[in-house]
Amino acid sequence: MLRYLARRAANALVLALAATCLGYVLASVALDPLVRFRGNNPPVPDEQIRHALAITGTDPNTPLASRLWSWLSGLAHGSLGTSVDNRPVTSEIAERAGTSLQLLVLGTVLGVGLGVLVGVVGAVRQHRWFDRVTTQGSFVVLATPTFVVAVLLMVGATRLNEAAGRQVIRFTGQYTPGHEGWAAVTDRASHLVLPTLALVIGLVAAFSRYQRAAMLDVLGTDLVRGARAMGHTQRSALVRHGVRVAMVPMSTLAVYTAGMVLAGATITELAFSWHGMGEYLLLAAQRGDVNAAAGTVACTAVLVLVLGMVADVLYAWLDPRVRL
Amino acid sequence: MTTTNDVRPLLASVIRPSGGVWSRVLTSRQAWVGATMLLTLALWALVGPALHPWDATYVDLAAFGQGPSTRHWFGTNDIGQDVYAQVLVGLRKSLLVGLVAAPVATGLAAVVGAVAGLAGGWVDRALMAAVDLMLVIPAFYLLVLCSPVLARAGWPALALAIAALMWMVMARVVRGQTRSLRERGFVRAACFSGAPLWWVAVRHVWPNLASLLVADVTVGVGTAVLMEATMSYFGIGVRVPDVSLGTLLAAGGPAAATRPWLFFFPALALVVAVCAVSLVGDAVRDAIDAGGARG
């Protein structure tokens, strides 16, 4: 097990490094660090521009390779450089990652868990009403962009608040300023409801479909019947020999799935105007902030790989054929 | 995925639908419903504006931000533009982005997958490493990163960028299928008789994976349309003067609670279009799955 994990981790490390370099190069090529100095009247003095570019290390006249090298050596010392507003990117990302992870973890656990459950029940009761409703429901949800789901939820919440005559659910930003103690906790929880719901709806739709298909494959084999013959109850046969085996095929796409979940969370977060990683990247792209963009991409790559590895280990643990 | 040894090349079986994946697709009600919906929508987007009295950019000074009426079927926006006309124009652009992006993505997947599978060795390892690398950074992040460049280049560049970010998983599938095909007699015979790699790919690999690739194109259209809408909603996709369903949703989003017609009509058009595409895609995929020894 440890050797397998070590090999996976080494592989992930190489990929993370490559993705980080790719992110920096792309950011340097696609973003224009001079964009915020343009169109000023009176024009910003050259001296000042050069000074600002020197601080962020994004002077286009320096060769890209040496810019990348100095950024990477900064990274080796735990620094992602300085953003255009003279703040260390590392601390800004640490702040925003907390916000993003809150939604990501809550949404993923609920979404994947419920999705698997819905898929399994749908497969076991194939063609019954529950299966029909969830299959068609997830079909429509998968055809609906996440931000539309978010807007629909916000409209619903507005109606609810109007009907109740007070703010039952709050949904702009992560919290209302000015609350303290217990009130701050409930306020944050209230702000979490809709974004979590938006993310969970999409994830349940996606995962229930995978899980239903995989579960139907397993039900077609003699695994469950064999377990029944061995004296398991129907429920225990389904869970231990059906669901467990049905979850295995999803492992091949663990990294891809992790990326998908992360993108979903980012879009949800943006739709509810949270100050998370997605907003940071969007701002960076608009302001020509190379360091902020590269830092965000690097952190995302690491997060995707970590999520992928967690999923990998979970699946390996599920699959009785894998001996690590 | 199953091996698709009973699949005939696309044209042959459409002309002579006797068994195989294509006859299952052609007899599937789901595929017909989806295709009919899709064609209707496409036709509507194409000729609809010509049959409609209002132009998408025309400003009706007598109707600012009015709800649906007989004069303006889907209402008007804040500056008096007809929402019905805008939805038609937006739908056209959205479908166009999808129809450009999906075949390009599938083509890329077919080429990379076949080359990796047939060549093997370091070519295979290098290509699969590239696939792994591209899967590590979510597509949405890469699109945001490239958005300043895309902003200058217009919607065809956006479509190609979307295509460049959705071929990876399919490339892996094609590679796997190619490797199993390579062990079969007719492909080995072709290789031994000195056929060049591209010939084996064109003559043997792609025809055998035709249904898989068609399914991927169909599903890809839906994915690309959704990606475009999301990009445009956050202001980094299609830009003025171009109009897509995404830009309409971005404009209508903040007003969704007070003037719902600005948001819900474009949203409905988008969801129906993607549903239609997925109906066809799922039907093709089901037909492929039913062909092999599944489960």
Side-chain angles (χ1 to χ4, degrees), chain B residues 175-241:
Chain B
R175 170 184 173 269
Q177 297 282 326
T178 307
R179 282 170 70 91
S180 70
L181 273 175
R182 201 172 58 169
E183 300 309 315
R184 304 259 307 271
F186 62 99
V187 179
R188 291 178 68 173
C191 289
F192 279 132
S193 60
L197 193 143
W198 64 266
W199 171 258
V200 178
V202 172
R203 189 71 188 82
H204 298 299
V205 175
W206 291 335
N208 272 289
L209 301 179
S211 54
L212 193 67
L213 296 175
V214 170
D216 188 55
V217 172
T218 329
V219 175
V221 173
T223 313
V225 168
L226 287 177
M227 268 175 142
E228 179 278 318
T230 305
M231 302 308 294
S232 304
Y233 183 74
F234 294 116
I236 48 178
V238 171
R239 317 242 171 177
V240 278

Side-chain angles (χ1 to χ4, degrees), chain B residues 105-161:
Chain B
T106 303
L108 210 55
V111 170
V112 171
V115 169
L118 287 175
W122 67 267
V123 177
D124 182 25
R125 279 202 298 277
L127 286 174
M128 285 307 110
V131 166
D132 281 342
L133 181 59
M134 290 199 65
L135 283 176
V136 170
I137 311 174
F140 181 71
Y141 277 65
L142 287 174
L143 282 173
V144 174
L145 205 55
C146 298
S147 61
V149 178
L150 295 175
R152 274 173 261 141
W155 73 264
L158 179 72
L160 292 182

Side-chain angles (χ1 to χ4, degrees), chain A residues 1-12 309 313 323-324:
Chain A
M1 181 77 180
L2 274 178
R3 265 185 49 205
Y4 169 79
L5 275 183
R7 210 174 56 227
R8 290 284 318 182
N11 188 16
M309 267 184 70
V313 171
R323 293 274 173 268
L324 300 178

